[in-house]
Amino acid sequence: MKIDLHLHTTASDGQYSPQEMVQKVIEAGIDVFSFTDHESMEGYREVVREAKVKGLHFIAGVELLVHYKGEEIHLLGYGMELSGTPFLEALEKLKEERNAVAKATVEKLQQLGFALSWSDVKALGHRRGTISKGHIVHALHRCGLLPCTGMEFIKRYLEPKGLAYVQYKASTYDEAVELIRSAGGVPVIAHPGLITEQSLLPELIARHPVGIEVFYAYYGTKRQKWIQQYYELAQSKNLLMTGGSDYHGSFGPVRIGEEEVPEWVFFKLNEAIAKAHHQKAIY
């Protein structure tokens, strides 16, 4: 069984449409997967029936950008039930805020001399999706305005303290965890190795019953070291573990299914989702 629980589509900052991603998942030999688009479930909703017909295990997923003590944290959610509207309505509001931040970022870049229009950026997004820094970088590249590599540009201009950085304040860590749980979902801290202030991780784990993304492909030369480190942490705290490639497209350094995720991750996640659904039903 091949598993990838961290994939992006054009519903946020991925290169390929949800339909194209289903085909790429099949071509990569993936059996279990999840679209974890930023503040959006549109990709999942568009192809959930198609994935089922094709015999794939398709888990509802989302990735939320949150803040905690001044640090940006990424929080994954799995297994949310979409039959009710409050969760989707909350996502819509978060998406609007993310898009407003993206537009303000483009305006800052314009002030810095980049001849990039908001329409250039918006044209790359899904009609009901989220616009983020990935779209901005892609638009700069397409317009011949990117002065360096995408990662270098993000670090210099779009990360906290960057020249064009605009802070997103719409969702706190506590609020995002509760939002996911309110929909019967399982919250998981994404790529913990990318959290700048590592001393915050024990606090995040202690505040709520969350899992952590252990098997992650984007760690570069530190991949195996960090995977082992967070695996041991998860074992010691009896935390749910997930994993995936964080694939955004052919322009990125990883491939679909690049990181090997053990089969037991799927079964443990299914158990956690079933438990979350049961708890939601009680309340």
Side-chain angles (χ1 to χ4, degrees):
M1 181 183 291
K2 198 169 182 181
I3 302 166
D4 196 328
L5 299 173
H6 196 154
L7 299 167
H8 292 275
T9 77
T10 52
S12 64
D13 54 352
Q15 180 181 1
Y16 301 108
S17 71
Q19 292 78 13
E20 290 171 327
M21 280 299 295
V22 169
Q23 186 56 41
K24 288 187 175 297
V25 160
I26 293 171
E27 292 170 358
I30 302 294
D31 306 290
V32 179
F33 70 106
S34 181
F35 292 163
T36 51
D37 285 315
H38 298 279
E39 285 76 36
S40 176
M41 297 288 295
E42 295 300 331
Y44 173 80
R45 297 172 74 190
E46 283 186 14
V47 297
V48 60
R49 291 183 181 177
E50 177 185 346
K52 185 176 182 180
V53 168
K54 293 184 176 180
L56 300 168
H57 294 284
F58 190 25
I59 299 173
V62 71
E63 185 172 3
L64 304 179
L65 176 61
V66 306
H67 56 92
Y68 180 77
K69 292 189 175 180
E71 176 90 22
E72 286 191 356
I73 308 294
H74 288 222
L75 188 70
L76 297 163
Y78 293 106
M80 289 72 61
E81 295 179 319
L82 304 184
S83 54
T85 58
F87 176 71
L88 293 177
E89 288 175 352
L91 279 189
E92 184 66 22
K93 291 179 180 178
L94 294 177
K95 181 193 76 175
E96 290 174 0
E97 178 63 22
R98 283 295 302 271
N99 290 353
V101 167
K103 188 173 183 180
T105 301
V106 170
E107 291 171 354
K108 274 199 168 186
L109 287 171
Q110 291 170 347
Q111 293 168 9
L112 291 169
F114 290 90
L116 181 70
S117 71
W118 175 239
S119 60
D120 289 332
V121 177
K122 194 174 180 181
L124 297 175
H126 188 282
R127 58 192 175 91
R128 294 191 303 274
T130 308
I131 305 296
S132 65
K133 60 188 177 185
H135 294 99
I136 294 172
V137 173
H138 190 191
L140 285 165
H141 176 71
R142 286 188 62 177
C143 295
L145 301 172
L146 194 62
C148 50
T149 67
M151 293 304 293
E152 289 172 333
F153 184 85
I154 289 172
K155 186 173 182 179
R156 183 177 179 186
Y157 289 92
L158 307 183
E159 286 187 352
K161 298 182 181 179
L163 298 175
Y165 177 72
V166 177
Q167 188 175 6
Y168 170 75
K169 301 179 180 180
S171 188
T172 69
Y173 173 69
D174 295 336
E175 290 168 343
V177 169
E178 290 306 316
L179 176 62
I180 291 167
R181 292 176 65 188
S182 72
V186 177
V188 175
I189 297 172
H191 38 67
L194 301 185
I195 297 175
T196 303
E197 187 53 66
Q198 284 289 294
S199 63
L200 295 179
L201 185 57
E203 292 184 33
L204 297 171
I205 293 169
R207 288 183 73 85
H208 300 283
V210 297
I212 60 173
E213 187 176 39
V214 169
F215 306 98
Y216 182 69
Y218 248 93
Y219 285 154
T221 58
K222 297 179 180 179
R223 184 190 297 189
Q224 294 310 315
K225 174 186 175 182
W226 281 355
I227 287 175
Q228 184 62 31
Q229 175 181 324
Y230 296 118
Y231 176 80
E232 292 174 358
L233 172 63
Q235 276 200 318
S236 69
K237 301 288 185 181
N238 195 28
L239 303 176
L240 176 74
M241 303 185 218
T242 67
S245 63
D246 200 2
Y247 179 80
H248 285 73
S250 61
F251 51 80
V254 300
R255 302 182 305 276
I256 296 175
E258 178 171 322
E259 179 55 43
E260 184 176 346
V261 180
E263 288 188 16
W264 53 260
V265 166
F266 169 57
F267 299 116
K268 292 287 187 182
L269 178 57
N270 263 355
E271 290 175 6
I273 290 172
K275 182 179 179 180
H277 286 187
H278 177 68
Q279 290 174 337
K280 177 176 178 286
I282 292 175
Y283 298 103

